[in-house]
Amino acid sequence: MTDRCQLNLRLDGRRDLLETIKDVPAAEGLSVNAWVIRTLEIAAANQAIPAPIIQSQAPASNISDIEAVLDDLIDTLRAPKLAGIEERLGKLRA
């Protein structure tokens, strides 16, 4: 049996991130869950993020670190999508 873990992420005031988090996985044929897991695995491998220390409550500095990593990942993943949209718009205008 698989050990089920759950992460609830509030994106207060960041509707742009919510839309990106929905659109990018859909464009890649992935569920949001599969995309987030894959993205975090890639980030961990690329940045050699050490295994988290298990605590009853994460310090605020860790939350800021995670937000920064997610923001960077979303920006990185959003750039090719935006470039593709701009390319299609250019073709439509031509």
Side-chain angles (χ1 to χ4, degrees):
M1 175 178 252
T2 304
D3 180 27
R4 183 173 182 154
C5 301
Q6 184 169 337
L7 169 68
N8 296 319
L9 182 63
R10 285 193 349 231
L11 299 171
D12 297 341
R14 297 297 306 265
R15 185 162 297 279
D16 60 317
L17 293 180
L18 176 63
E19 295 306 318
T20 299
I21 290 171
K22 289 179 181 177
D23 293 344
V24 173
E28 295 180 19
L30 296 171
S31 69
V32 171
N33 188 65
W35 177 81
V36 168
I37 290 170
R38 186 195 69 189
T39 302
L40 292 173
E41 287 173 340
I42 291 168
N46 289 340
Q47 297 182 12
I49 298 172
I53 298 170
I54 298 173
Q55 297 177 349
S56 60
Q57 184 175 3
S61 63
N62 288 346
I63 293 170
S64 299
D65 294 344
I66 291 168
E67 288 175 351
V69 168
L70 289 175
D71 283 344
D72 289 346
L73 288 172
I74 289 169
D75 289 343
T76 300
L77 294 169
R78 189 183 326 183
K81 180 181 178 188
L82 293 175
I85 291 170
E86 290 173 359
E87 181 180 336
R88 285 181 286 197
L89 285 175
K91 289 178 182 177
L92 289 173
R93 291 180 183 144

